[in-house]
Amino acid sequence: SKVIKCKAAIAWEAGSLFSIEEVEVAPPKEHEIRVKIVATGVCRSDAHAISPSFKEGLFPVILGHEGAGIVESTGPGVTKFKPGDKVIPLYMPQCGQCKFCLSPKTNLCEKISKIKTAISDQDLMPDGTSRFTCKGKQIYHFMGTSTFSEYTVVAETSLVKIDDAAPLEKVCLIGCGFSTGYGAAINTAKVEPGSTCAVFGLGGVGLSAVMGCKVSGASRIFAIDINKDKFSLAKELGATDCLNPQDFKKPIQEVITEMNDGGVDFAIECIGNIAVMGLLMDNSTPSIHHRRSWKEKQNVSIQESKHGSEIFHKEKMQESVLNNCSELKLVYILMPLGNSRENTESFLYSMGLAREYQQNHYIPIVESITWFVAGWKSIDSVPKLVSDYMAKKFNLDALVTYTLPFEKINKAFDLMCEGKSRVIWPCRLPAYIRRCPARERLCPRAPSSHATLGTTTSFRCTFYPQGEKEGETAELLYQVIKCKAAVAWEAGKPLSIEEVEVAPPKVHEVRIKVVATAVCHTDAYTLSGADPEGCFPVILGHEGAGIVESVGEGVTKVKPGDTVIPLYVPQCGECKFCLNPKTNLCQKIRVTQGKGLMPDGTSRFTCKGKQIYHFMGTSTFSEYTVVADISLAKIDAAAPLDKVCLLGCGISTGYGAVINTAKVEPGSTCAIFGLGGVGLAVIMGCKVAGASRIIGVDLNKDKFAKAKEFGATECINPQDFKKPIQEVLVELTEGGVDYSFECIGNVGVMKELALFPSNIKRAALEACHKGWGVSVIVGVAAAGQEIATRPFQLVTGRTWKGTAFGGWKSVESVPKLVTEYMSKKIKVDEFVTHTLPFDRINEAFELMHAGKR
């Protein structure tokens, strides 16, 4: 129900540069969803929308329509989505109820009210208002998506849920460009097995069309472009022949006709340049990709494109099309930038491709016209396209060539307009650029002195060009991210949500976008001031999960976009501890980690000009954090981060205490003291290990039902007995349990639980069976506290042990634990009792202290 403030790229007026501004994004209303944009692309539709020639554009506006992200919140009436879902916004909605959606002949939806052009029809939300404001002004939406914002709001009918494992920085392309080219072959042309195809233009859309032809089983695929550098990739994606029109003395259509004994079966044009289009339409395989303004075309009676000494005229184009229409399947990928549908139809009529049937309305003569992402029913089809990509049915990754940060959006447009790229970048994540031809600059720029309308936020990024790295790479390698974090300014005080600066990662460091984090008693212990290693001000948090944003020099095991869990117990793999199978306590960075600093002895956090300390080498109470590369585990990309973050500490500790430290055997008897999250994980471990009797011990009877769900065979409350609980357990088990686990750590509770005024942790040990009983201390007590028992307890065969992070070798073990969770061998979802937004973190601590979390 709250407004989110975030960064967005705003076009204040036509022809101007974008300005990175702080905008307010209102909460979603009925049947609306607010989405955190993780990755988005730049398309020519965006470029044209800010061109002065586009008369239907409204300003100021947030553009963008090739995006992917994560659901942040939902409005009333939304049932198909929940926070955390991975989604792709759709500029072509699918309500599933209107006459268009119910017809198999079209992918239009009546939810776009005027159905003229997707560019101008969705500038406001369905209720006629905007969800964006900036500097007190209303900001228009764009194509119902507006993905050039860190957060956006879309209608429920304009959003589709996708595979959780899908890399958002790649599948965002499916929101427009890729689907258009691929669908032109699959849906519109319906390319047949064994057929011959010609694809004109090898940008992102053209390469996608090549893939579509290959998937359809075409036996010969001609790829035509004047840039030979694109040929190798085109062949990699399925082209059998690549032709450069400049290599021939005759028009390329004549060349293709001769090579194919009369012409190809299917021609797909993916260029958009009228002069080139005239060249291609002279005698064979006509095709159109109309992008120039109607007014301009009215003033040009003859389209001239010199090829040698020949000039191609409009009349010749008309004759060519009409003569070949009955013999060829024509695919026109119509993306009428700057034109209404009526004007586009008028253009077709003027070119002889349509017949007038009433004023301003025309019947196309051509067999097929591609409109709105090549005929895909959006909500039905996009998840299937994502699945096809995940199954490697087509190669979406091949369309990615460069990296740009969000603040470089204007450079991204420049690259696209210069014909060097089709741009994709994630907000606050590295960005990618895919190839797309451009024959002319469609959006004039304002002078550079007018470029900045507001303060931009810096992001680190690395360029990955086709050849050598570009000169500005060094400039981009040292950028700071500004984000929100929960700062503990001093001991005993509530956390404060602040804007902090997160420096880029140094050598062997990784910067992470934290997607989800949990609160743990260890965080509360340090915040209380009882921790002798506690440093203030500090950013706490050590149970987190997120996505790699950038990596420092020397990092080889993870890359931007990887899904990861930060680790408070590192694993360098080189020190004597890591090389010893008897322990998991890596000491590589222990000294600096204990001081709240990175391995080089400095911090990556600052706030209000002050250095902020790290915590346990992780500091997950920040939207972005920096960790050592040995303190990070790469995990299954399909894992839900709001669940597996718990594997960063609590669940792994309790489960591992059983599996690794105690090594519980089948048929054994176990007692678990304390039925919080760690205690439940111990119960789960005992069940997995095959224990025959699992006794849960806690003062709170409300926890007993949950403990039994996890595997406890019985639960007891010490307050129900008149004797110490260890004596009760010895009697119940005819001599004591085989294994006991102390999962509390709180001195006061332990005193009450054991009913002893001192020697507070002895109860768990003394409940063990003489001769072989093993007691494992899992809970962390406060500094200065000691454990004590009579030596006789140990002399007579009991073993007292402790465990840290459940004995797991962290880097190699956590991914396996995630896999076990994904295969339902262990529980994780059931440990989550409350889900709260970041700004209510203090409430989360209150719930934990009250025993409700």
Side-chain angles (χ1 to χ4, degrees), residues 71-73 82-85 515-519 641-643 645-646 828-841 843-845 847 852-853:
V71 172
E72 178 271 338
S73 57
K82 64 181 186 303
D85 285 346
V515 174
T517 187
V519 295
L641 301 186
D642 58 337
K643 303 297 192 304
C645 63
L646 295 176
V828 173
D829 296 10
E830 293 80 0
F831 285 87
V832 179
T833 58
H834 296 79
T835 301
L836 297 172
F838 187 33
D839 59 1
R840 291 170 61 187
I841 189 168
E843 183 180 336
F845 274 84
L847 288 167
K852 296 180 179 180
R853 178 262 185 203

Side-chain angles (χ1 to χ4, degrees), residues 550-587:
S550 56
V551 299
E553 183 181 349
V555 176
T556 59
K557 294 183 179 179
V558 295
K559 65 183 184 303
D562 284 346
T563 304
V564 292
I565 291 179
L567 306 167
Y568 73 89
V569 176
Q571 184 185 354
C572 70
E574 300 173 346
C575 71
K576 65 179 181 180
F577 290 84
C578 285
L579 295 174
N580 192 322
K582 297 178 181 180
T583 182
N584 66 328
L585 300 178
C586 175
Q587 297 297 293

